[in-house]
Amino acid sequence: MPRPKRATVQQVHDLALSMPGVTVESAGTNPVYQVSRKSFIFFRNPRPDAFDPETGERYDDVIVFWVADDVDKQALVADESTPFFTTPHFDGHPSVLLRGSRIGELTADELAEVVYDAWLARAGVRARQKWLAERGLG
């Protein structure tokens, strides 16, 4: 049985850009992927709320993915088999964080699902319905 293909940071970019109606804004060198003028994935600058607990060094590779709601967020961050996390800064915010250095802990299919779900959480109703219908999921 072949091993599943591991996810990469490049796949985040490729998958985000493959979604309908996506635009890219740039926050310095960090892209912000938007649909319907709403961010659904963005690459964060180092911030004081996401840091190595041993060294105190700020993570410079955090990716933020929108989720549909707090139930989805808690399911991802509570599952210790996934690399997703959150910080107090994101309490009450429908998103999860992932370090780029840990993205290979996901399969390419798992990453695709997270990207698609992020897009679905932010896209307009008609765009969501059309995308789901095209895949027989509507």
Side-chain angles (χ1 to χ4, degrees):
M1 184 169 165
R3 293 180 66 175
K5 184 177 177 186
R6 304 316 299 175
T8 67
V9 172
Q10 185 58 51
Q11 288 171 326
V12 175
H13 299 290
D14 296 343
L15 287 162
L17 287 170
S18 76
M19 299 306 292
V22 170
T23 59
V24 184
E25 299 294 323
S26 183
T29 59
N30 294 333
V32 177
Y33 294 97
Q34 298 179 331
V35 61
S36 304
R37 296 186 183 146
K38 296 183 247 175
S39 302
F40 69 100
I41 296 172
F42 68 89
F43 287 70
R44 238 178 143 209
N45 291 322
R47 301 287 307 247
D49 66 308
F51 60 90
D52 184 307
E54 293 179 17
T55 67
E57 186 175 341
R58 294 179 184 181
Y59 296 145
D60 62 358
D61 62 344
V62 175
I63 309 166
V64 180
F65 297 86
W66 257 254
V67 294
D69 54 36
D70 196 56
V71 172
D72 286 353
K73 176 179 184 166
Q74 295 309 317
L76 287 170
V77 299
D79 183 348
E80 293 183 17
S81 72
T82 74
F84 296 103
F85 70 103
T86 190
T87 68
H89 178 77
F90 285 90
D91 285 351
H93 192 271
S95 61
V96 294
L97 310 178
L98 173 66
R99 291 194 64 203
S101 61
R102 295 190 61 195
I103 202 164
E105 295 175 35
L106 300 173
T107 67
D109 289 343
E110 290 168 333
L111 176 63
E113 184 177 342
V114 172
V115 171
Y116 299 156
D117 286 348
W119 183 88
L120 287 165
R122 303 292 280 172
V125 173
R126 281 183 283 219
R128 282 194 315 263
Q129 290 172 339
K130 180 179 181 199
W131 189 85
L132 290 167
E134 289 171 350
R135 282 150 191 79
L137 302 171

